């Protein structure tokens, strides 16, 4: 089906293609996930990462809300994301300093937060402090 485009809106499925498409669904359910949820897939499918998230919940950093995790302190969420991104190798891009870049999108999706990068930049520029930084670091060492 290379080159085919599938559009889904409600119960309507429209397939645009250049060739013949055979679509057969019998006694099954097709689930189209939310785009936001798909962005978090690199995290939610990683069992080691999810164990760390469970510890974060147990230690009161965040709460589980459906498939997402709501952090109590945004700067802690941003710092956690920076450590996790590097630990799990979520990016191979380099930042302007030549260091491995942080992959923010999966964490913004999973945490339901926007602008984690800006919050992290505020921390790095000493505009914000992280009260429980050592405890977050410890989550990744257990």
């Amino acid at each position: 089906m290379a080159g085919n485009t599938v559009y889904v809106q409600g119960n309507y499925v429209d397939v645009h293609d250049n060739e013949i498409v055979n679509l057969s669904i019998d006694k099954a359910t097709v689930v189209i996930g939310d785009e936001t949820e798909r962005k978090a897939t690199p995290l939610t499918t990683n069992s080691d990462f999810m164990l760390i998230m469970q510890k974060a919940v147990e230690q009161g950093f965040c709460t589980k809300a459906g498939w997402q995790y709501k952090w109590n302190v945004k700067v802690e969420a941003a710092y956690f994301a920076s450590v996790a991104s590097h630990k799990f190798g979520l990016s191979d891009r380099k930042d302007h300093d030549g260091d491995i870049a942080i992959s923010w999108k999966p964490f913004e999706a999973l945490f339901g937060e926007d602008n984690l990068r800006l919050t992290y930049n505020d921390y790095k520029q000493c505009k914000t402090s992280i009260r429980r930084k050592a405890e977050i670091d410890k989550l990744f060492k257990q």
Side-chain angles (χ1 to χ4, degrees):
M1 279 182 57
N4 295 338
T5 305
V6 179
Y7 298 96
V8 179
Q9 185 160 5
N11 292 331
Y12 177 75
V13 177
D14 185 15
V15 179
H16 291 267
D17 67 312
N18 295 327
E19 297 185 26
I20 296 172
V21 174
N22 295 314
L23 181 62
S24 176
I25 302 170
D26 185 28
K27 297 180 183 174
T29 302
V30 176
V31 177
I32 309 287
D34 179 2
E35 180 63 27
T36 303
E37 192 171 350
R38 266 183 280 193
K39 289 179 183 176
T41 301
L43 303 173
T44 58
T45 59
N46 183 322
S47 59
D48 291 335
F49 174 79
M50 294 308 290
L51 285 173
I52 293 171
M53 283 307 306
Q54 182 179 339
K55 292 175 188 174
V57 169
E58 290 167 2
Q59 293 182 25
F61 287 103
C62 56
T63 56
K64 190 161 177 27
W67 64 271
Q68 291 180 309
Y69 292 84
K70 302 299 181 184
W71 282 72
N72 300 328
V73 180
K74 187 172 181 177
V75 72
E76 289 179 349
Y79 178 74
F80 178 94
S82 73
V83 175
S85 180
H86 288 127
K87 177 169 179 68
F88 293 103
L90 297 181
S91 178
D92 55 4
R93 289 182 309 108
K94 303 278 185 181
D95 63 17
H96 63 279
D97 293 328
D99 299 324
I100 298 293
I102 299 165
S103 181
W104 295 110
K105 289 185 191 274
F107 295 98
E108 289 179 342
L110 187 62
F111 300 162
E113 291 281 357
D114 291 328
N115 301 316
L116 285 178
R117 179 184 57 82
L118 297 177
T119 302
Y120 182 75
N121 288 347
D122 286 347
Y123 155 69
K124 293 298 276 184
Q125 296 170 2
C126 300
K127 295 178 184 176
T128 307
S129 63
I130 301 173
R131 193 173 56 85
R132 298 176 66 189
K133 181 179 181 290
E135 292 174 59
I136 292 171
D137 290 337
K138 197 173 182 181
L139 289 172
F140 292 92
K141 293 179 183 166
Q142 298 174 350

